Amino acid sequence: YGAGLWQARRDRLLTAAKSLEAAAHDDPEAAAPKRELVRVYALLGREPEAIKLARAVLEADPADAATAHTLAT
């Protein structure tokens, strides 16, 4: 997860997506990698995946305002 964050902050989006996908796969209950993955997917132009994942994150944590904002925009 940490590597994915580092890569995303340095605009290495494809590598960040792969790292975050691996982190989300390794710990399916963790919301943090999925939240960041929503943002990375949106930046990559992968809107359908971003929307699907954002809805799943909001289903698990309805109070997640950042993901709700990303989904709304």
Side-chain angles (χ1 to χ4, degrees):
Y1 169 70
L5 284 178
W6 185 83
Q7 293 157 345
R9 300 298 185 256
R10 281 151 186 81
D11 292 327
R12 298 176 178 161
L13 299 178
L14 292 175
T15 308
K18 290 182 188 221
S19 295
L20 292 167
E21 287 167 349
H25 181 267
D26 290 344
D27 188 2
E29 298 300 317
K34 293 175 186 172
R35 282 187 197 112
E36 188 65 23
L37 197 50
V38 168
R39 191 182 74 76
V40 170
Y41 279 167
L43 290 171
L44 285 171
R46 295 173 61 181
E47 286 86 8
E49 292 95 339
I51 291 168
K52 181 179 176 185
L53 191 56
R55 287 182 178 160
V57 169
L58 288 173
E59 198 171 291
D61 182 12
D64 186 355
T67 302
H69 180 265
T70 303
L71 182 60
T73 57

